[in-house]
Amino acid sequence: DREFSLAFFKSDGDHHGTVDFFTNDANGEFDAAHFDATMARFAPNGRLAIDGIASMIIEANNADPKASDLDLVKSAGEWALMVCALGTEIDVAELRAMYQGDSSRLLAGTAVATARQWVAMTARITKTIAEQKAHTTTTELAMRLHSAFGDDFNEEGDHLCPCIGCSHALWT
């Protein structure tokens, strides 16, 4: 009964500057060649780890002239969903299968992943982005997370915003 969607809350979805794993036409088909080229750069051993995810997010963000640091942290949140479902070192073959329509591994992972794991992973990916991106401090990105998620993820006392103010322990 549990369906998982990659259309993340408040996400702009596929836009210029994304990883572009799908063709930019009416069909929107999986682009195996671009996927393979991207994975060769960011997951050279067939495993996409947090460092590779952060680098991929930065490169995609830099390719979009309208992108901001807020887009970096939104992408961190989106990829955190994938990591929570597929593991901290995502097998590229599993990722490929998911993008080609086999969502069985993703659905199994989302059945056991928790919101708290997502909060922690979003913070971890955001920290890694900040470490790799020389002109952006960790605190700046940590505060941006609240702009992306805070008000909506703190409703009813859940306190699921991954920003430094709402989840301070993750940042110290």
Side-chain angles (χ1 to χ4, degrees), residues 46-127:
R47 312 284 299 170
L48 183 60
I50 302 302
D51 285 343
I53 290 169
S55 296
M56 192 168 51
I57 289 170
I58 292 167
E59 182 178 287
N61 201 59
N62 289 342
D64 185 349
K66 296 179 183 175
S68 68
D69 285 350
L70 181 59
D71 295 309
L72 286 169
V73 299
K74 285 181 179 180
S75 292
E78 291 167 351
W79 275 97
L81 290 172
M82 301 282 274
V83 171
C84 288
L86 299 176
T88 55
E89 288 199 2
I90 299 170
D91 181 280
V92 171
E94 282 184 358
L95 191 61
R96 173 190 268 278
M98 186 204 70
Y99 281 118
Q100 290 178 311
D102 178 4
S103 60
S104 58
R105 175 70 177 93
L106 183 67
L107 291 172
T110 59
V112 295
T114 69
R116 295 275 175 219
Q117 289 171 322
W118 172 82
V119 170
M121 189 51 60
T122 299
R124 181 174 171 192
I125 293 171
T126 302
K127 283 182 194 178

